[in-house]
Amino acid sequence: MDLDGVRTFLAVADTGQFQEAAARLSLTQQAVSKRIAALEAALGVRLFVRTPRGVQLTTDGRVFLPHARNLLEAAARAADSVRPGRRGLRVDVVNPNLGPARLLREFHSAHPEIQIDVVTHLFDAKTALAAVRTGAIDATFRAITQPARQLTDGVEALRVLDDPVELLTSHTHPLAAASSVTPAELARHKVWMPFLVPGTEWAAYYDALATRFGLTIDTMGPDFGIDALLEVVAGSSTLATLVGEHIRLVWPSEYELRRIPIRGPMLVYPHSLVWRSDNAHPALAKLRDHLHSRLDVYRRPKAWTPPWRKR
């Protein structure tokens, strides 16, 4: 159904005059008459009858009137759902417990008037970047492991968070009492990370880290989630794992886990904000500006990162 015809029908019904409806719509009276005639032909009924004072709705016109209003309201809602500035900013943060979610929460605190749709169901960078390219999301926080291949077709990135890597151990682990550990010290102990999935950006990061510092990273065993991982580490005097400083972890007090910084050098996981340069959502520009203003807080220029990191 022609929405311009429906819009014209409502203008005539509201004003009772073809001439006044034409003025409201910035059309000629002839154009209004043609639109009403075309709508009546499409519906197969008369919508108006002429009177000495203008026009009145027919019985069919009165029946059609509320449905016509609903049609235009539905069309407006459909347009608003995808129109930049009228819908929420859709941002992928990988997982609500990771550092990027913290950055997005800080942005929301600074700009509570901006509606944000938080996305957490996109698994890896390939899927997330495809969603950025198609417009399914406005931005994603990801580690860019292949910038020459990933940042194409107008896709841009800004490195916004260097998340320091920490060692997570039980209180009985040989390194549990250390205030910090070096990568060289860590190389003498096995690191267990069953959540490393080949082909993901986090697997690429830890592969590079292990190669550079001679770490032994064991990925064997099913990944039953973070709660199961914490339980196993807490009950072992030999197993340890690596986590980001900004990840939010909660465990029972009896676990007595230790989070130990890694220094000499500091190791950081580089998160970048990724977006399409032609995305016109006004909140996206505000998000980029906010994150850029926080680079001094969240960037660690002297820390170790893989050679592929986004500068």
Side-chain angles (χ1 to χ4, degrees):
M1 184 175 296
D2 181 13
L3 291 181
D4 285 336
V6 175
R7 193 172 290 106
T8 303
F9 163 77
L10 290 175
V12 174
D14 290 341
T15 62
Q17 298 281 343
F18 273 48
Q19 185 175 356
E20 290 187 25
R24 175 183 291 187
L25 297 172
S26 299
L27 297 172
T28 65
Q29 186 171 338
Q30 182 180 19
V32 169
S33 297
K34 287 184 176 180
R35 285 187 178 182
I36 294 300
L39 182 61
E40 289 179 330
L43 295 174
V45 297
R46 291 281 303 278
L47 298 172
F48 296 102
V49 293
R50 294 186 177 273
T51 71
R53 295 185 177 182
V55 294
Q56 290 182 345
L57 288 167
T58 64
T59 299
D60 288 323
R62 288 193 295 271
V63 171
F64 182 63
L65 182 61
H67 300 291
R69 296 195 193 280
N70 290 338
L71 276 174
L72 290 191
E73 290 172 359
R77 288 194 299 271
D80 287 347
S81 71
V82 296
R83 183 177 293 129
R86 298 298 296 273
R87 60 166 174 78
L89 184 69
R90 297 177 294 225
V91 183
D92 164 50
V93 296
V94 187
N95 184 295
N97 293 323
L98 297 182
R102 174 178 175 176
L103 297 190
L104 198 59
R105 289 196 301 271
E106 289 182 357
F107 171 70
H108 183 255
S109 295
H111 296 278
E113 77 283 0
I114 294 178
Q115 179 186 343
I116 300 175
D117 295 333
V118 181
V119 177
T120 58
H121 65 273
L122 302 176
F123 181 64
D124 58 5
K126 181 179 180 181
T127 304
L129 291 177
V132 168
R133 285 189 169 86
T134 62
I137 59 175
D138 296 298
T140 181
F141 289 92
R142 294 285 167 169
I144 300 301
T145 61
Q146 301 175 14
R149 294 179 56 185
Q150 294 170 310
L151 304 182
T152 59
D153 304 322
V155 175
E156 298 185 19
L158 173 67
R159 187 167 145 202
V160 294
L161 171 63
D162 290 344
D163 197 0
V165 176
E166 295 181 333
L167 181 67
L168 183 71
T169 76
S170 70
H171 68 286
T172 60
H173 191 277
L175 296 175
S179 59
S180 66
V181 298
T182 66
E185 292 172 320
L186 190 58
R188 296 194 289 269
H189 301 269
K190 184 168 67 175
V191 177
W192 185 51
M193 305 185 77
F195 50 84
L196 294 185
V197 179
T200 60
E201 63 267 33
W202 51 92
Y205 172 83
Y206 284 105
D207 283 347
L209 189 154
T211 300
R212 170 62 181 80
F213 296 102
L215 302 189
T216 300
I217 297 182
D218 181 4
T219 62
M220 298 301 293
D223 177 15
F224 288 113
I226 189 63
D227 290 339
L229 178 73
L230 296 177
E231 182 180 5
V232 173
V233 170
S236 173
S237 62
T238 59
L239 288 181
T241 194
L242 298 176
V243 297
E245 178 184 288
H246 291 93
I247 189 173
R248 185 176 59 186
L249 296 175
V250 180
W251 57 76
S253 59
E254 62 267 23
Y255 281 12
E256 299 187 61
L257 292 169
R258 304 287 190 267
R259 294 181 68 154
I260 306 169
I262 300 174
R263 299 292 185 266
M266 175 188 288
L267 313 176
V268 297
Y269 186 96
H271 294 277
S272 293
L273 180 75
V274 186
W275 70 93
R276 274 180 57 132
S277 58
D278 60 355
N279 188 317
H281 199 300
L284 178 58
K286 290 185 178 180
L287 175 60
R288 292 200 308 268
D289 290 345
H290 172 84
L291 293 173
H292 193 274
S293 72
R294 303 284 286 167
L295 292 185
D296 289 344
V297 177
Y298 289 117
R299 286 286 300 273
R300 302 288 188 272
K302 295 183 179 180
W304 179 87
T305 55
W308 43 253
R309 84 279 191 193
K310 172 65 180 173
R311 294 186 180 275

